[in-house]
Amino acid sequence: MTCLLRIFLLVFLTSYLIFPTHAQSPVGKVERVKVHGTSLEGNLSNDSPDRDVSIYLPPSYQTDEDRRYPVVYLLHGFTDSDSQWFGLEEHWINLPEVVDQVQGDEGIREVIIVMPNANTRFKGSMYSSSATVGDWETFVAEELVAYIDDHYRTIPQAGSRGLSGHSMGGYGTIRIGMQYPQVFSSIYLLSPCCMSPRDDGNTDAMQQAEAVNTVQEIDEQSFFVLATLASAAAWAPNPKKPPFYMDLPTQDGEVLQEVAQKMAANATLVVIDQHIAKLKQLNAIAFDVGNEDRGIATASKELDQVLTDYDIDHSFEVYEGDHINGIAGRIQTHMLPFFSKHLTFE
């Protein structure tokens, strides 16, 4: 061994002993399972009642076998899926990486995160109850929760369950959350859609939806045409109208008021007054939206005012961003700390 090499090795070993490398931060584990939904059986869209569900298990789950964990049920947005959010497909977010980056940070505690795949024939269930798409409210709030409690080390009580979601998932969060305070104690909405009847007022998209006649044509449609079809399937089902089994809000370009009213009746700001007592049973409510998210930001401000008028404690913030570019950061800096503070840990 040359003198130069000996010197190099000595310097390397000395540096290693004096300045040891930092251990890599622990990461969680992802599992993907199938969960059968009895409530989804027989849906007229013929979507499978066996749903993919992605599950994030925090780093200590594998090593601390006696420990039990709170669960955050996270609902993805329209046209998205659990596989996209959990990094199985290239997407604008990779949830496990987002969560792993802040594990161990002050104010963030370990939770199990569960996301069902709600992508349907029409690219989204709206997390609603309909003969056409199935009873997604029951599936999420009862059957999925029961499965997770049976198969994972959860703390099986409402105080240890949170519900959150982005866009369509944010809508699903408040829709389900204000009906099931006995199941979920805290809710966090990320840029929630569909809160105002104005959100469904794209007349051009409604007229284009009329021209869709076959199942094969669905995948060729634009986002807003798909949203019209998905909303009608969820909120205006019609078992006598194959192949889509829904009433569209327009016919020959003219708005059908009866159908439009059915769809508007599902907007959060229309129905919220009937759910005030249950909203007051929740331990904590929070929501946020990017300032560039236009109509969603306007509706979110209205929701903030309604909750304020009813003296319902909540947190609301408008931040710099659009519909998606701030979501990963908000999960890290707001959503996870929110549930770490408000859920009951073992």
Side-chain angles (χ1 to χ4, degrees), residues 80-301:
D80 282 355
S81 68
D82 68 307
S83 61
Q84 291 174 326
W85 271 67
F86 272 69
L88 301 178
E89 302 176 47
E90 191 69 26
H91 201 43
W92 57 267
I93 191 169
N94 184 318
L95 182 70
E97 290 184 358
V98 167
V99 177
D100 284 338
Q101 287 169 6
V102 293
Q103 287 289 7
D105 286 3
E106 184 178 357
I108 293 180
R109 305 181 69 178
E110 290 187 334
V111 296
I112 296 171
I113 302 176
V114 176
M115 177 176 284
N117 182 12
N119 194 299
T120 64
R121 169 180 289 185
F122 304 107
K123 311 305 177 186
S125 68
M126 310 309 293
Y127 300 103
S128 299
S129 178
S130 157
T132 302
V133 296
D135 183 357
W136 279 86
E137 296 168 351
T138 298
F139 176 70
V140 171
E142 299 180 20
E143 296 175 331
L144 180 59
V145 167
Y147 179 93
I148 297 299
D149 283 344
D150 285 345
H151 291 80
Y152 293 91
R153 296 197 312 275
T154 69
I155 304 174
Q157 60 186 26
S160 298
R161 294 193 201 100
L163 184 63
S164 184
H166 171 248
S167 194
M168 178 185 78
Y171 167 77
T173 294
I174 192 165
R175 181 185 180 104
I176 295 172
M178 66 186 179
Q179 297 182 67
Y180 288 92
Q182 74 278 18
V183 177
F184 307 102
S185 63
S186 304
I187 62 173
Y188 196 111
L189 289 61
L190 297 153
S191 303
C193 79
C194 316
M195 291 193 295
S196 167
R198 295 190 302 273
D199 294 349
D200 300 306
N202 190 326
T203 306
D204 289 342
M206 293 179 186
Q207 293 178 16
Q208 292 171 37
E210 289 187 60
V212 183
N213 296 309
T214 66
V215 173
Q216 291 72 25
E217 293 177 83
I218 293 174
D219 290 340
E220 304 169 4
Q221 305 308 310
S222 69
F223 179 91
F224 290 106
V225 173
L226 288 172
T228 298
L229 293 169
S231 299
W235 303 329
N238 187 335
K240 301 297 185 181
K241 292 187 70 173
F244 299 149
Y245 300 101
M246 68 177 75
D247 288 322
L248 290 172
T250 60
Q251 182 174 327
D252 299 326
E254 297 295 323
V255 175
L256 298 176
Q257 288 300 325
E258 182 178 350
V259 179
Q261 289 168 5
K262 280 186 179 182
M263 298 178 70
N266 285 273
T268 304
L269 292 168
V270 173
V271 301
I272 193 170
D273 298 283
Q274 282 72 57
H275 297 280
I276 297 304
K278 288 189 175 181
L279 279 168
K280 288 186 175 182
Q281 294 176 36
L282 293 169
N283 290 346
I285 302 171
F287 53 105
D288 55 31
V289 63
N291 63 338
E292 299 177 15
D293 211 355
R294 299 180 182 176
I296 290 180
T298 299
S300 295
K301 292 174 184 177

